[in-house]
């Protein structure tokens, strides 16, 4: 310890003299200091990423993520449906199409169960087109969108389908009988199977309309 | 130009026998309801005219929307208006709203029954005067019912009620007509195939129209109650980003840097 000119106590220097061995000590200390600096991120190009650099990068990533979230969290879809009524009406029609297709399938299943007879949906549709105005209306509407149809050809095909289906039914119901069932009997068989299904579908639609969504957990809706 | 079956649109023909009135009335009501709902949806999105090429006009619409639905800024105030107020504005949210509004350009041009130009003539100035529909209600001769029913929701307490009344009013006339026609056809002694088909059409289609109307109204009510909130949130987000970029970034970044540097000291491994 010694006193300076201003009488301040100053600690003695650690090394008083400079020797060759001291020079080596200083040099290694300088190297160490540089290494520490590098480790602290003052010179990032020298070695692999330092802990501070990693932290900074993590911080940047977090901030970028936060900014992205801020910029996008309230954005909605770019698609805006502008003609809601038309689209809903089309969806309603397609729903009817699905239920009509389902009714045809169920009718085919009932006939198969009752008479062990496999009628395809086209054959059943041919019976219905002629005898059920609602079904005819649906087919007409569907055909309006299809310009390639030809009404006369379609009618011939339908009658052909009906004749084939009636022959099938005759073979299933009374295979021993040489006379085929009349067309009116075949029609009655198909309608007996189809009409209850159609009525159930209509009832369901009326329940939906009566509810208007207010009691959607009742009557089997979900 | 209306496009309906020639049998129905040519007056010289025997409309009563050849024209399928069930089908025609359904097409008409579908077009009417479609036009009304499209216009109402456009109004919910802030559209007050069909001049989509004029940026200034669209911004004016947005300023009115922001003032009346969100209570942000003043549409007539150069300092505080939503899109370009000199003191504070929301350019990004405004641009997003413009994009949304422009999506109605095609839809409004494709309306079949309602003349948009006539309906939206002076709509911006009419809308600024919130009492215009109340005033004209006292003077029935000058009451613009279509405009007021479609655009009066800016009187917030009424919400969609006038519009819903308008829709069900149209639907009532359609139902009366279809029931009347159905009854007249059903009392025919020897109905033709065409009559039977029309009867069937009149039995099923009104139900579809009612279901579709209810669904569409429900969707519109949802949009009406949520869109303003959505825009409010967009504006809030823009405010946050503005605050962050201009002020907080100078404070927050050093703060977090310090936190990450000292966190290892705080957490005992």
């Amino acid at each position: 310890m010694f006193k300076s000119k201003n009488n301040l106590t100053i600690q003695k220097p650690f090394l008083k003299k400079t020797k060759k061995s001291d020079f080596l000590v200083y040099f290694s200390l300088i190297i160490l200091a540089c290494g520490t600096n590098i480790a602290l991120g003052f010179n990032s190009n020298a070695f692999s990423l330092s802990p501070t650099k990693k932290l900074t990068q993590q911080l940047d990533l977090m901030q970028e993520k936060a900014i992205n979230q801020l910029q996008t969290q309230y954005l909605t879809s770019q698609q805006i449906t502008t003609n809601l009524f038309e689209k809903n009406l089309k969806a309603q029609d397609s729903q009817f199409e699905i239920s009509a297709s389902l009714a045809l399938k169920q009718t085919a299943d009932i006939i198969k169960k009752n008479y062990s007879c496999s009628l395809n949906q086209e054959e059943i549709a041919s019976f219905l087109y002629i005898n059920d105005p609602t079904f005819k209306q649906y087919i007409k509407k569907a055909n309006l969108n299809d310009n390639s149809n030809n009404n006369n050809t379609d009618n011939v095909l339908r009658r052909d389908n009906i004749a084939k289906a009636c022959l099938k039914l005759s073979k299933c119901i009374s295979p021993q009988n040489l006379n085929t069932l009349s067309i009116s009997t075949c029609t009655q068989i198909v309608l007996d199977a189809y009409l209850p299904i159609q009525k159930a579908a209509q009832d369901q639609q009326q329940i939906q309309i009566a509810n208007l969504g207010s009691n959607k957990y009742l009557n089997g809706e979900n | 130009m209306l496009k309906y079956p020639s049998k129905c649109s040519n007056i010289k023909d025997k409309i009563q026998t050849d024209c399928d009135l069930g089908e025609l009335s359904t097409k008409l009501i579908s077009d009417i309801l479609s036009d009304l709902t499209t216009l109402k949806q456009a109004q919910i999105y802030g559209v007050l005219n069909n001049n989509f090429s004029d940026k200034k006009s669209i911004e004016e619409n947005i300023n009115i929307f922001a003032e009346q639905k969100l209570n942000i800024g003043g549409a007539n105030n150069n300092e505080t208006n939503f899109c370009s107020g000199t003191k504070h504005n929301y350019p990004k949210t405004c641009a997003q709203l413009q994009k949304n509004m422009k999506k109605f350009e095609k839809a409004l041009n494709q309306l079949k029954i309602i003349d948009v130009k006539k309906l939206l003539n002076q709509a911006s100035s009419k809308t600024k005067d919130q009492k215009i529909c109340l005033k004209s209600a006292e003077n029935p001769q000058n009451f613009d019912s279509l405009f007021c029913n479609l655009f009066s929701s800016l009187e917030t307490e009424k919400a969609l009620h006038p519009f819903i009344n308008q829709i069900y009013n149209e639907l009532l006339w359609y139902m009366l007509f279809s029931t009347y026609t159905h009854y007249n056809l059903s009392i025919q002694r020897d109905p033709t195939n065409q009559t039977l088909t029309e009867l069937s059409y009149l039995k099923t289609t009104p139900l579809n129209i009612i279901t579709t109307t209810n669904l569409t109204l429900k969707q519109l009510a949802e949009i009406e109650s949520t869109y303003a909130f959505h825009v409010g949130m967009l504006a809030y987000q823009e405010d946050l980003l503005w605050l962050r970029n201009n002020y907080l970034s100078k404070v927050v970044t050093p703060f977090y840097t310090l936190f990450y540097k000292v966190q290892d000291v705080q957490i005992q491994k």
Side-chain angles (χ1 to χ4, degrees):
Chain A
M1 299 285 280
F2 66 96
K3 286 189 177 180
S4 68
K5 289 177 184 176
N6 301 327
N7 293 328
L8 292 171
T9 307
I10 301 170
Q11 197 170 1
K12 284 181 183 175
F14 178 68
L15 295 168
K16 292 179 183 175
K17 296 174 184 177
T18 307
K19 296 177 184 175
K20 278 186 181 177
S21 57
D22 293 337
F23 175 74
L24 287 173
V25 172
Y26 278 135
F27 184 72
S28 41
L29 278 173
I30 289 164
I31 296 290
L32 189 65
C34 285
T36 313
N37 277 347
I38 290 162
L40 287 170
F42 295 113
N43 184 357
S44 59
N45 295 325
F47 299 101
S48 60
L49 291 175
S50 66
T52 317
K53 184 73 181 173
K54 278 182 188 170
L55 282 175
T56 315
Q57 276 193 352
Q58 277 180 358
L59 184 66
D60 288 344
L61 278 173
M62 285 178 75
Q63 283 186 339
E64 197 182 329
K65 200 177 166 185
I67 292 166
N68 281 340
Q69 193 189 348
L70 267 179
Q71 285 174 339
T72 55
Q73 64 184 334
Y74 298 125
L75 290 180
T76 49
S77 162
Q78 294 297 309
Q79 290 179 337
I80 294 174
T81 306
T82 52
N83 44 353
L84 283 174
F85 188 85
E86 258 179 57
K87 294 223 165 142
N88 288 335
L89 198 60
K90 275 182 190 166
Q92 188 72 20
D93 285 345
S94 64
Q95 200 179 351
F96 182 76
E97 196 176 321
I98 291 164
S99 64
S101 167
L102 201 66
L104 284 179
K105 190 179 175 301
Q106 285 176 342
T107 310
D109 289 345
I110 288 172
I111 292 171
K112 192 174 182 181
K113 191 181 169 189
N114 290 348
Y115 303 102
S116 304
C117 213
S118 295
L119 295 190
N120 61 39
Q121 291 186 24
E122 204 178 335
E123 288 166 341
I124 294 169
S126 300
F127 278 107
L128 299 179
Y129 183 86
I130 291 171
N131 296 289
D132 181 37
T134 312
F135 193 82
K136 187 178 181 180
Q137 186 64 43
Y138 156 65
I139 296 289
K140 265 181 74 180
K141 203 172 175 184
N143 283 346
L144 279 178
N145 300 325
D146 180 12
N147 296 324
S148 63
N149 75 86
N150 183 331
N151 274 338
N152 292 331
T153 319
D154 283 352
N155 282 335
V156 171
L157 278 174
R158 277 190 201 103
R159 290 183 197 291
D160 191 36
N161 280 338
I162 288 171
K164 279 180 190 169
C166 206
L167 190 63
K168 267 191 201 174
L169 276 171
S170 305
K171 283 181 182 174
C172 296
I173 293 168
S174 50
Q176 309 300 330
N177 197 343
L178 292 175
N179 297 323
T180 55
L181 294 173
S182 66
I183 297 290
S184 60
T185 313
C186 292
T187 305
Q188 198 55 49
I189 289 169
V190 173
L191 286 180
D192 284 348
Y194 172 75
L195 289 175
I197 297 165
Q198 188 206 28
K199 190 172 182 314
Q202 278 180 352
D203 288 348
Q204 181 64 23
Q205 192 186 19
Q206 280 176 346
I207 287 170
Q208 283 176 348
I209 291 163
N211 286 341
L212 297 178
S214 59
N215 55 344
K216 63 179 182 178
Y217 298 110
L218 300 179
N219 300 313
E221 283 189 61
N222 51 42
Chain B
M1 184 68 186
L2 299 177
K3 287 181 181 175
Y4 295 109
S6 57
K7 287 175 184 175
C8 299
S9 51
N10 191 348
I11 304 167
K12 289 175 186 173
D13 283 349
K14 295 175 182 177
I15 289 178
Q16 291 295 325
T17 53
D18 294 341
C19 175
D20 185 338
L21 286 176
E23 200 178 336
L24 177 67
S25 59
T26 306
K27 278 186 179 168
L28 270 170
I29 190 70
S30 299
D31 288 346
I32 291 170
L33 295 180
S34 181
D35 280 9
L36 286 174
T37 46
T38 303
L39 273 166
K40 186 64 195 175
Q41 195 188 356
Q43 185 267 336
I44 290 171
Y45 276 82
V47 175
L48 285 175
N49 59 39
N50 63 337
N51 187 4
F52 292 94
S53 53
D54 183 6
K55 195 182 170 189
K56 197 181 169 188
S57 161
I58 296 179
E59 282 192 359
E60 194 185 322
N61 290 351
I62 295 172
N63 292 338
I64 293 172
F65 176 88
E67 184 188 0
Q68 298 192 344
K69 293 265 187 178
L70 302 166
N71 205 16
I72 299 179
N76 295 324
N77 189 332
N78 288 333
E79 290 184 342
T80 60
N81 73 56
F82 193 79
C83 285
S84 52
T86 48
K87 274 191 177 175
H88 191 58
N89 55 42
Y90 297 86
K92 286 184 180 174
T93 308
C94 186
Q96 182 63 40
L97 291 185
Q98 281 185 40
K99 268 188 196 173
N100 292 348
M101 284 163 82
K102 281 181 181 175
K103 285 180 181 156
F104 286 91
E105 184 173 12
K106 195 178 168 189
L108 291 189
N109 287 333
Q110 287 177 343
L111 294 188
K112 289 173 185 164
I113 306 277
I114 297 171
D115 186 342
V116 190
K117 279 184 186 173
K118 274 189 183 174
L119 179 74
L120 298 182
N121 185 28
Q122 304 288 320
S124 300
S125 57
K126 280 185 194 171
T127 313
K128 279 179 190 169
D129 181 3
Q130 288 197 44
K131 289 180 179 174
I132 192 163
C133 290
L134 297 175
K135 279 179 196 167
S136 57
E138 292 164 7
N139 185 9
Q141 284 182 338
N142 293 328
F143 184 59
D144 187 350
S145 64
L146 186 59
F147 177 82
C148 286
N149 290 337
L150 280 168
F151 291 89
S152 62
S153 79
L154 292 172
E155 297 165 40
T156 47
E157 74 275 9
K158 283 190 174 179
L160 278 179
H161 290 177
F163 173 71
I164 292 172
N165 284 342
Q166 167 99 30
I167 290 282
Y168 281 120
N169 195 29
E170 301 290 351
L171 207 56
L172 172 71
W173 288 112
Y174 166 69
M175 292 303 289
L176 280 174
F177 181 79
S178 59
T179 311
Y180 171 77
T181 313
H182 186 273
Y183 173 74
N184 272 341
L185 291 174
S186 63
I187 56 174
Q188 284 183 16
R189 282 189 178 175
D190 295 316
T192 59
N193 276 343
Q194 190 192 334
T195 309
L196 287 174
T197 309
E198 199 174 341
L199 272 169
S200 152
Y201 193 83
L202 284 167
K203 191 179 171 188
T204 54
T205 317
L207 295 178
N208 282 351
I209 296 286
I210 292 175
T211 314
T212 310
T213 306
N214 289 333
L215 179 64
T216 311
L217 285 178
K218 197 176 169 189
Q219 289 169 335
L220 280 176
E222 277 172 10
I223 296 171
E224 206 263 347
S225 58
T226 56
Y227 186 66
F229 279 110
H230 169 68
V231 176
M233 285 306 209
L234 278 178
Y236 169 65
Q237 168 188 279
E238 195 171 347
D239 263 347
L240 282 181
L241 286 168
W242 170 80
L243 193 68
R244 179 198 170 280
N245 292 337
N246 290 289
Y247 300 101
L248 288 184
S249 58
K250 291 167 189 166
V251 180
V252 172
T253 309
F255 173 76
Y256 276 113
T257 311
L258 181 67
F259 171 76
Y260 281 109
K261 278 187 176 173
V262 297
Q263 71 171 352
D264 290 342
V265 178
Q266 293 171 343
I267 301 166
Q268 193 176 0
K269 289 184 179 175

